[in-house]
């Protein structure tokens, strides 16, 4: 059964009802079988780290600040597909553990298949491959984020935003259905793969993500993403980047307002310092987070890594020393790249990251300016390995030339010594 509806009426009815107690889930046939989620070592390795979304958890500070429809700019009528729970249960093989793609603050994400022209389930490998995200039935806050996700992604469309296909709101079940992103998250490629992500791909991903943020910020009624990080950047088969997880997205300031005051949420290591201190949210908060991700792309290091020495656990604090000195920039580059990166590209990316991470929000560039800087970096071909080869070749030539000159000098010295001194009192000079 295919249902294309104007979703706001349905969502409002669900919002007024709030979330039912999760206790009813245990006895309901319409529930995700939690006992199927076997937490053995093999399954655990497939889970993504849960995001630390609430930087200042305080129930008194929580508000319904994300349940209104998103700005009207750059949107089309909401025609999301409405799925039944049983359809999604069948599409994911009863939410099998081996179909789990990841886990975040929202809940588990499962791989599934649906019919091309409807909401019915399809056999694995046929129809359309989708990602089904299920809300953990553990409270009202998750429902708010679920609502925000539908509100924003249901109406904002751009090549660098993940496509929301539909949703399920049945009893206390809340699920979202997205297009499937073949290559997973940028986080996986930077930190969980043995083969390093090539430099051209890193630039392409950074540019795509920047375009996504620029689109959100660029309308007459801007949207602030508020949770920009590597795990929320998904990649298709061609390494095109798309922003996902809009649960924390927030309508930006309008008119004479310079900021939006809101509860402090996000992820440690990515949130802008002024936002953490004051709760004042602007588009420049996203720019700071982009600077952190740009550093992760450049260095291959996580924004926060407790396994590193004390002075290197916070990526931004550690990197500032190198970013401020052009002679030290190349010490930042991911060592797994060896010399397979653009020299000028590293310089430009380092300078851009430095600007995005400015302690003064007003000094940070806009995302449109970031896109302009990154765009030409795709075409650079000045690889460090080529420069190193030329320098090595020049060094060999110089050494060979100096070796020949030394042989000539030694021969001349020998010839001079063979001649007896005609005047023992005079000094003999070699020319």
């Amino acid at each position: 059964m295919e249902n294309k509806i104007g979703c706001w009426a349905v969502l409002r009815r669900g919002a007024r009802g709030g979330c039912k107690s999760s206790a009813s889930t245990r006895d309901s046939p319409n529930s995700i079988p939690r006992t199927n989620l076997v937490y053995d070592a093999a399954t655990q390795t497939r889970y993504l780290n849960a995001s630390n979304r609430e930087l200042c958890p305080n129930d008194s500070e929580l508000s319904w600040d994300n349940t209104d429809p998103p700005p009207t700019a750059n949107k089309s009528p909401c025609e999301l597909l409405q799925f039944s729970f049983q359809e999604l249960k069948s599409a994911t093989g009863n939410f099998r553990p081996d179909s789990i793609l990841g886990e975040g603050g929202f809940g588990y994400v499962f791989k599934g298949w649906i019919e091309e022209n409807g909401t019915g389930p399809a056999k694995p490998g046929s129809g359309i491959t989708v990602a089904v995200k299920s809300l953990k039935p553990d409270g009202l806050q998750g429902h708010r984020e679920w609502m925000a996700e539908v509100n924003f992604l249901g109406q904002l469309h751009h090549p660098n935003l993940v496509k929301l296909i539909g949703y399920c709101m049945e009893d206390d079940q809340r699920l979202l259905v997205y297009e499937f992103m073949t290559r997973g998250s940028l986080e996986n490629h930077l930190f969980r793969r043995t083969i390093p992500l090539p430099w051209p791909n890193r630039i392409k991903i950074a540019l795509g993500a920047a375009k996504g943020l620029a689109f959100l910020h660029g309308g007459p009624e801007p949207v602030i993403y508020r949770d920009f990080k590597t795990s929320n950047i998904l990649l298709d088969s061609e390494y095109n980047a798309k922003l996902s997880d809009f649960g924390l997205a927030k309508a930006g300031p309008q008119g004479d307002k310079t900021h939006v005051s809101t509860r402090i949420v996000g992820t440690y290591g990515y949130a802008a310092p002024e936002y953490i201190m004051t709760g004042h949210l602007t588009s420049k908060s996203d720019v700071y987070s982009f600077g952190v991700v740009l550093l992760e792309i450049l260095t291959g290091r996580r924004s926060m890594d407790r396994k590193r020495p004390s002075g290197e656990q916070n990526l931004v604090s550690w990197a500032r020393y190198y970013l401020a000195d052009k002679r030290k920039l190349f010490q930042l580059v991911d060592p797994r790249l060896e010399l397979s990166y653009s020299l000028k590209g590293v310089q430009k990316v380092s300078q851009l990251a430095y600007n995005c991470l400015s302690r003064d929000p007003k000094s940070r560039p806009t995302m449109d300016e970031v896109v302009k800087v990154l765009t030409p970096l795709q075409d650079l071909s000045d690889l460090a390995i080529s420069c190193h080869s030329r320098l090595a070749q020049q060094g060999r030539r110089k050494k060979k030339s100096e070796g020949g000159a030394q042989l000539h000098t030694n021969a001349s010295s020998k010839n001079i010594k063979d001649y007896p001194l005609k005047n023992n009192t005079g000094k003999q000079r070699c020319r």
Side-chain angles (χ1 to χ4, degrees):
M1 177 181 70
E2 178 182 0
N3 295 315
K4 279 194 174 183
I5 63 172
C7 61
W8 300 125
V10 176
L11 291 176
R12 286 301 178 193
R13 288 198 296 271
R16 282 194 292 270
C19 282
K20 295 183 181 179
S21 171
S22 59
S24 62
T25 313
R26 300 187 187 99
D27 302 321
S28 172
N30 291 345
S31 63
I32 296 176
R34 304 294 169 183
T35 54
N36 282 358
L37 302 176
V38 182
Y39 292 92
D40 56 27
T43 304
Q44 191 71 21
T45 57
R46 293 197 302 275
Y47 294 164
L48 301 178
N49 287 337
S51 60
N52 191 353
R53 301 167 76 84
E54 194 74 37
L55 293 178
C56 285
N58 185 342
D59 290 342
S60 65
E61 294 178 1
L62 303 184
S63 61
W64 283 83
D65 59 355
N66 272 331
T67 55
D68 293 331
T72 56
N74 300 317
K75 71 177 183 180
S76 60
C78 182
E79 292 187 346
L80 298 175
L81 296 177
Q82 185 179 15
F83 293 83
S84 71
F85 184 80
Q86 286 300 322
E87 286 173 335
L88 296 182
K89 188 175 181 180
S90 299
T92 58
N94 198 28
F95 302 104
R96 294 192 317 270
D98 60 0
S99 70
I100 292 177
L101 298 173
E103 180 191 8
F106 181 104
Y108 295 103
V109 182
F110 300 87
K111 185 177 183 179
W113 290 265
I114 62 172
E115 296 175 350
E116 291 188 9
N117 298 311
T119 60
K123 293 181 179 180
S126 64
I128 299 175
T129 309
V130 294
V132 180
K133 182 156 65 171
S134 65
L135 169 65
K136 293 177 180 177
D138 57 0
L140 188 59
Q141 186 55 36
H143 179 71
R144 293 169 184 162
E145 294 187 13
W146 184 88
M147 287 284 293
E149 191 98 359
V150 177
N151 285 348
F152 285 100
L153 277 182
Q155 300 200 47
L156 296 171
H157 305 282
H158 187 270
N160 297 110
L161 302 185
V162 71
K163 180 182 178 182
L164 179 63
I165 297 173
Y167 65 94
C168 170
M169 186 170 64
E170 187 174 306
D171 296 329
D172 62 350
Q173 297 297 332
R174 301 290 183 270
L175 299 99
L176 297 172
V177 182
Y178 303 88
E179 63 175 320
F180 176 70
M181 300 296 286
T182 310
R183 296 194 180 275
S185 71
L186 174 59
E187 179 190 37
N188 279 344
H189 286 271
L190 282 179
F191 310 125
R192 300 174 185 268
R193 302 285 178 89
T194 54
I195 301 176
L197 189 65
W199 178 259
N201 290 2
R202 298 187 190 211
I203 295 298
K204 182 176 183 178
I205 293 167
L207 177 58
K211 288 180 177 179
L213 280 182
F215 167 77
L216 295 176
H217 295 175
E221 299 175 355
V223 173
I224 301 173
Y225 187 59
R226 204 162 45 153
D227 200 20
F228 187 82
K229 55 184 178 181
T230 53
S231 61
N232 284 344
I233 301 172
L234 303 184
L235 310 174
D236 67 12
S237 58
E238 301 297 323
Y239 290 95
N240 294 304
K242 300 189 180 188
L243 305 187
S244 68
D245 195 346
F246 277 65
L248 300 183
K250 176 77 175 170
Q254 301 179 35
D256 296 334
K257 294 183 178 180
T258 59
H259 64 269
V260 176
S261 295
T262 182
R263 59 194 171 93
I264 303 170
V265 295
T267 304
Y268 284 111
Y270 294 96
E274 75 281 355
Y275 172 55
I276 295 175
M277 293 177 64
T278 66
H280 293 175
L281 188 67
T282 71
S283 60
K284 295 300 180 75
S285 306
D286 281 347
V287 175
Y288 182 93
S289 301
F290 182 85
V292 177
V293 170
L294 204 56
L295 266 188
E296 290 182 300
I297 290 173
L298 176 64
T299 64
R301 293 178 175 229
R302 291 182 178 275
S303 61
M304 296 293 295
D305 191 346
R306 302 297 182 188
K307 296 179 182 179
R308 293 190 178 275
S310 59
E312 300 181 19
Q313 292 180 0
N314 185 301
L315 177 59
V316 173
S317 299
W318 171 77
R320 283 192 190 277
Y321 168 76
Y322 299 94
L323 291 173
D325 190 339
K326 292 182 179 180
R327 296 170 298 179
K328 296 183 173 66
L329 288 181
F330 294 96
Q331 297 180 44
L332 287 172
V333 181
D334 187 344
R336 295 178 302 163
L337 287 173
E338 296 180 341
L339 294 173
S340 298
Y341 56 83
S342 163
L343 294 170
K344 186 175 181 181
V346 167
Q347 293 172 342
K348 291 289 186 181
V349 167
S350 299
Q351 184 61 50
L352 182 59
Y354 183 78
N355 294 338
C356 290
L357 295 170
S358 173
R359 293 182 176 88
D360 178 9
K362 295 180 181 179
S363 298
R364 298 169 196 159
T366 65
M367 288 311 303
D368 281 333
E369 292 170 337
V370 169
V371 170
K372 289 179 182 178
V373 172
L374 289 174
T375 299
L377 303 189
Q378 300 177 103
D379 303 322
L380 296 178
S381 58
D382 59 328
L383 293 180
I385 191 170
S386 301
C387 179
H388 179 77
S389 298
R390 288 196 301 271
L391 291 175
Q393 189 175 12
Q394 291 173 3
R396 286 193 295 269
R397 288 176 180 173
K398 185 177 181 181
K399 189 174 181 180
K400 185 176 180 181
S401 175
E402 289 176 348
Q406 186 65 36
L407 288 174
H408 178 72
T409 303
N410 291 340
S412 300
S413 300
K414 183 178 181 181
N415 291 337
I416 292 171
K417 291 177 182 178
D418 287 342
Y419 291 106
L421 294 177
K422 294 182 178 179
N423 185 358
N424 292 330
T425 60
K427 294 182 179 179
Q428 190 160 359
R429 303 171 65 186
C430 295
R431 295 183 180 180

